Structures are given as C-alpha cells and as structure tokens.
Amino acid sequence: MKKTALITGATSGIGRATAHEFAKHGINLILCGRRQERLDTIEKALSKQTNVHTLNFDVRDKKATFNAIESLPETFKHIDILINNAGNAHGLDPIETGNIEDWDAMLDINVKGLLYVSKAIIPIMTKNNSGHIINIGSSAGKEVYPKGNVYCGSKHAVLAITEGMRIDLNPYGIKVGAINPGLVETEFSKVRFKGDAIADTVYKGYKALQPEDIADIIYFVITRPTHVNIADLLVFPTAQASSTIVNKNI
Ligand code: NDP
Ligand code: 8X3
C-alpha cells in the first residue's frame, strides 16, 4: 500500500526538495506551509506523480495546526511518515543585544511548532502501532557557535525532544530520528538575515549542501527495513568541518 507523508515547511528548501523526492517514489503527500501560492505551484507539479493535499497553517498557531490536521480528507488521514522540517534561524546576534522577537520566533517555530504538529499526528501513529517521525535538527543542535545562542538552543531542544519521543514511542513500534545538516543552500540565510546583502555571502566560496542532498538522505532513512531506525545523523558539506570551520576559497 502507498505510504502517506506529511512534510512541514514544504514551500522551500529541504522540505520542498523532500516533497519532490517522495513524489518520485509515489508517496502520498500532505504538504504544509504558510505561502499558499507556493503550495499551489508544488501541488500542481507533483500531482502528476502522486496524490497531493496541501495545508496552509502557521505552526506557531496551536489551534490552526490542530484544525488543519483534523481537516484532512479520509484518504490522507492515515499518516505513516512525519517530517518535522519547518523552521529557521532569525538573526545572528550576541546574547546581550539579541532581539526578543527573533528569540520568540525561533522557540515558537522550531520547538513549540514541532511539538504542536507532533501532538496532532502521534495519536494516528500510536493507534496504528507504526509510523516514522523525522525531526530536522541541525549541526547547531550538537555544537554551539558564537552568536548562535538561541538558534542553537532551539536545535539542541529538537534533539532532546527527538530522544524523548523515541523513548516514549518505543512501545508502539514507531521510529523516531533526527537528521542534522550543516550548511545547506536554501532560503535559510535570507530569513536569518532578513534579506540583508550578507545573506548572499553565506554559501559563497565553497560547495554547500543542496536541499536535494538532504532529501536524498531522508528518503534513504525512510526506506530502511522495519527493524532499522536511523536515530541520529549529522551531515556536513565536505568543505565544512564544524560550525565555525569552513574551507572557503574567497
Ligand atoms: P527555508 O527557509 O528554505 O525553508 C523553511 C521552511 O519552513 C519554509 O517552507 C517555510 O514555509 C517553513 N516555515 C517557516 N516558518 C514557519 C511557520 N511559522 N509555520 C509554518 N511553516 C514555517 O530553510 P531550510 O529548508 O534550510 O530549513 C528547513 C529546516 O532545516 C529548518 O528546520 C532549519 O532549521 C533546518 N536546517 C537548515 C540548515 C541550512 O543551512 N539551511 C542547516 C540545518 C538545519 P512558509 O514560509 O511558506 O511558511
Ligand atoms: C543551520 C546551520 O550553521 O547556520 O542550522 O546553524 S547553521
């Protein structure tokens, strides 16, 4: 039987690339994000390959999140795979001058949003005694770097929550794991630096990971045999050795 996957943050970057990868393999898709126009475009493109349903909600909005998942048509209600991907960094500032709105955004989206979506979907998986949850963490969840403070905190939280989910959902046969990329060339830097010109320099002078690289890994992870769960995976571009060491030729 065809599997159904729900992907948050499917309008851009890693989430969108994962939607394309899953569609190639005929996985039914529930694609989420706030930008309806983009959801429409992706739905139109991928509907040629698989069944697609889109949900427009902000993961910060608890009620909207539950309503959206509750609204799924019967044919999309049996969710086998959840990719908790929606998230971003907002700002790169020392803690003493950090912006409180940025802090709220990162904790509300990256941490609480992930929890709201999971809370709405986990009952479907526990009822079925099966399922697979992949949380997109970050190398920033493994290592704190200068000015990374709250973003790193949010991704450390994602890793702790992933472990907690794996422990608590163990009796139900549900797989839970985290995929933690280093630098991936997406709209991430545009969001982090709010469109400032510095955003364009982040992926210059070396070959950053591409969203398709992560999508490829996610597809590998979800296609392991039933008894194999990839619990935690760290992936860097070859040019990157740690959060602060990147071999740039500029
Ligand atoms: P993008 O900015 O390209 O994509 C972010 C996605 O998240 C968009 O689809 C956006 O959709 C969605 N999103 C953001 N805020 C919300 C919200 N409040 N409610 C619902 N959806 C939201 O970045 P990436 O693809 O790079 O990021 C995806 C994940 O990967 C994030 O969790 C990020 O932290 C993580 N990551 C990224 C790395 C990188 O270097 N790029 C490295 C390591 C991890 P929309 O705006 O339409 O709502
Ligand atoms: C994104 C990677 O190094 O910008 O999570 O924090 S980094």
Side-chain angles (χ1 to χ4, degrees):
M1 204 174 87
K2 275 176 93 167
K3 291 204 167 174
T4 299
L6 184 144
I7 304 173
T8 65
T11 56
S12 173
I14 295 169
R16 182 169 56 191
T18 304
H20 279 266
E21 183 64 26
F22 282 11
K24 264 197 254 167
H25 298 278
I27 295 171
N28 294 325
L29 292 172
I30 303 160
L31 304 179
C32 312
R34 293 166 301 175
R35 286 170 285 183
Q36 186 61 48
E37 227 175 79
R38 288 200 183 194
L39 287 173
D40 292 343
T41 307
I42 300 164
E43 178 173 19
K44 202 168 160 214
L46 301 188
S47 292
K48 294 172 193 132
Q49 295 168 291
T50 190
N51 303 310
V52 181
H53 187 84
T54 63
L55 294 176
N56 181 332
F57 62 95
D58 186 328
V59 297
R60 280 174 293 196
D61 186 335
K62 207 185 305 181
K63 200 158 171 269
T65 301
F66 280 89
N67 286 345
I69 291 161
E70 187 59 42
S71 78
L72 283 169
E74 220 35 65
T75 44
F76 283 91
K77 271 196 192 305
H78 183 117
I79 297 169
D80 304 284
I81 300 157
L82 165 59
I83 311 293
N84 271 320
N85 164 74
N88 278 115
H90 293 260
L92 181 72
D93 301 292
I95 199 74
E96 67 277 18
T97 55
N99 178 309
I100 288 190
E101 277 76 46
D102 285 343
W103 297 353
D104 282 343
M106 290 186 277
L107 295 172
D108 288 348
I109 300 167
N110 303 357
V111 183
K112 290 169 69 183
L114 178 149
L115 284 170
Y116 297 160
V117 174
S118 303
K119 177 82 176 160
I121 291 173
I122 285 170
I124 300 169
M125 295 185 171
T126 52
K127 194 168 152 232
N128 294 330
N129 279 302
S130 75
H132 196 161
I133 301 173
I134 296 179
N135 295 330
I136 305 302
S138 168
S139 52
K142 304 218 166 240
E143 183 194 9
V144 179
Y145 55 82
K147 304 181 192 170
N149 44 64
V150 178
Y151 179 65
C152 295
S154 76
K155 290 299 184 176
H156 275 69
V158 168
L159 281 197
I161 289 165
T162 302
E163 279 182 42
M165 284 182 175
R166 191 164 53 248
I167 293 164
D168 296 342
L169 298 177
N170 173 268
Y172 302 94
I174 297 169
K175 295 187 191 187
V176 184
I179 295 176
N180 308 290
L183 291 154
V184 191
E185 189 171 358
T186 64
E187 291 172 15
F188 181 86
S189 71
K190 285 194 169 47
V191 175
R192 172 168 242 177
F193 297 108
K194 301 176 176 67
D196 190 286
I198 194 178
D200 299 327
T201 66
V202 174
Y203 311 115
K204 290 259 163 71
Y206 68 103
K207 179 72 178 171
L209 290 167
Q210 299 301 299
E212 292 74 21
D213 298 322
I214 307 303
D216 205 26
I217 290 168
I218 294 173
Y219 183 69
F220 176 80
V221 169
I222 63 147
T223 49
R224 293 312 84 211
T226 310
H227 68 286
V228 179
N229 178 33
I230 297 183
D232 190 53
L233 190 151
L234 174 66
V235 51
F236 282 126
T238 306
Q240 183 176 16
S242 73
S243 287
T244 51
I245 301 173
V246 183
N247 184 13
K248 293 193 181 190
N249 56 26
I250 46 169

